[in-house]
Amino acid sequence: MKIARYKKAQRALSFYKNNFKFREPFQIIVDATFCQVALQFQIDINEQLPKYLQSELRLVTTQCIIMEAESLGPQIQGATQIVKKFLVHKCGHDKKPISGADCMLAMIKGNNYIIATQDRDLQDKLRSKPGQPIMYLHKRTPVLEQPSEASRKSSDKKIGKTVNFGEVDVNKLKAMKRSEGVEDTDAVPVKKKKFKKKQPNPLSCKKKKKKGAEGVGKGNDLSGVKDKLIAKKQRSRSRKKTPKHVKEHLLSLNKN
């Protein structure tokens, strides 16, 4: 399961890299709600987040987030101490501080930040912003949310624009060819070659066998061959050679 979570996070990061120019080190704005849940489940944010995203990170917060956490009193004192350890980015609300959620919404305009929060209302607002990554904690597990529908639609429009520019360029080129008389409208269509059926490779073919050997090799019955050999032996007569002295004796008897 851990490997699957890491792969999902890498796919989401690749999406934001390719479509919205996110680059390492990734900057994550952390609020007090995120730190409160991390403290509840004893999660070391500085250790777990880089391990989960397998990337170089920079954890930051704002003065508005710190002031909001301090105003909530001793209930989230531990989370307030954790937030104060992060690098504080200037949000421009020094004279008139605002809520942490509004401060983060203002910070993401024109900047590539990953927002780490447990605030559901803030998450819904961020999902409507194209190219905005959201991170939260599911018990002990950090989760980088998959790209929202607004982010996907925005990336599709960018791809569509690049394709349309290509079509416009092709049409312009054709118009210029027609005006210069370069384009050949009466061009003869190229005939496709008819591929003839090739003969089998002689090296891959089996050699022809003799009839006798072929019959035996194919697993035919050997009884017929055996009968022929027996018949041939029966037809052949055994001739005994008469000795020479017996022939002479017989000839002398015939003369007398």
Side-chain angles (χ1 to χ4, degrees):
M1 292 298 290
K2 285 185 179 179
I3 295 171
R5 284 203 306 270
Y6 293 151
K7 284 184 177 180
K8 279 186 178 180
Q10 289 303 310
R11 282 198 295 269
L13 285 177
S14 298
F15 175 84
Y16 291 115
K17 282 181 184 178
N18 297 329
N19 295 289
F20 298 99
K21 299 179 181 180
F22 275 72
R23 295 291 179 268
E24 290 188 48
F26 300 112
Q27 298 190 87
I28 302 179
I29 301 179
V30 184
D31 70 351
T33 61
F34 191 88
C35 295
Q36 180 68 15
V37 176
L39 185 64
Q40 181 184 348
F41 289 100
Q42 298 180 353
I43 298 170
D44 188 350
I45 296 173
N46 288 308
E47 182 183 346
Q48 291 298 322
L49 294 190
K51 190 176 179 181
Y52 169 64
L53 295 177
Q54 297 181 356
S55 305
E56 188 180 350
L57 305 179
R58 187 178 295 163
L59 301 176
V60 301
T61 189
T62 66
Q63 192 64 37
C64 294
I65 293 172
I66 295 172
M67 292 180 70
E68 184 183 44
E70 288 175 342
S71 66
L72 293 173
Q75 296 177 354
I76 60 166
Q77 187 176 1
T80 305
Q81 296 300 320
I82 295 171
V83 168
K84 286 182 178 180
K85 293 179 180 179
F86 301 138
L87 180 68
V88 180
H89 269 203
K90 291 183 178 181
C91 58
H93 306 131
D94 298 334
K95 294 181 180 180
K96 191 177 179 180
I98 57 177
S99 66
D102 292 337
C103 182
M104 283 189 279
L105 288 171
M107 287 287 289
I108 63 174
K109 291 179 180 178
N111 297 300
N112 292 333
Y113 288 109
I114 299 172
I115 302 297
T117 181
Q118 301 295 116
D119 188 344
R120 296 292 180 87
D121 294 333
L122 178 58
Q123 289 175 3
D124 291 337
K125 291 177 183 178
L126 292 171
R127 289 187 188 103
S128 63
K129 307 288 183 184
Q132 181 54 56
I134 303 169
M135 182 176 283
Y136 58 87
L137 290 172
H138 179 68
K139 295 183 180 180
R140 295 179 179 274
T141 307
V143 177
L144 178 64
E145 194 170 272
Q146 293 300 303
S148 63
E149 189 177 351
S151 298
R152 293 191 180 279
K153 284 182 179 179
S154 178
S155 66
D156 291 342
K157 283 181 182 178
K158 288 179 182 179
I159 294 170
K161 284 180 181 179
T162 55
V163 173
N164 290 332
F165 282 133
E167 291 176 357
V168 170
D169 292 339
V170 170
N171 293 331
K172 283 183 180 179
L173 184 62
K174 287 182 179 179
M176 288 172 66
K177 283 184 176 181
R178 289 194 194 97
S179 63
E180 297 294 330
V182 176
E183 191 175 14
D184 188 10
T185 55
D186 299 328
V188 180
V190 180
K191 292 182 179 180
K192 292 183 179 180
K193 291 183 178 181
K194 292 183 179 179
F195 293 97
K196 295 181 181 179
K197 192 175 180 181
K198 294 182 179 180
Q199 296 296 326
N201 188 356
L203 298 175
S204 64
C205 298
K206 291 184 179 180
K207 293 182 180 180
K208 292 183 179 180
K209 296 181 180 179
K210 294 181 181 180
K211 290 183 179 180
E214 187 180 358
V216 174
K218 288 182 179 179
N220 294 338
D221 191 5
L222 298 176
S223 60
V225 178
K226 198 171 182 180
D227 294 340
K228 287 180 181 179
L229 293 172
I230 292 169
K232 192 173 181 181
K233 283 183 180 180
Q234 288 177 353
R235 284 198 301 272
S236 60
R237 296 176 183 176
S238 57
R239 296 180 179 179
K240 294 182 179 180
K241 195 172 181 181
T242 309
K244 188 176 180 181
H245 67 277
V246 175
K247 284 182 180 181
E248 290 177 354
H249 179 68
L250 292 171
L251 286 171
S252 64
L253 290 173
N254 288 331
K255 285 179 181 180
N256 295 329

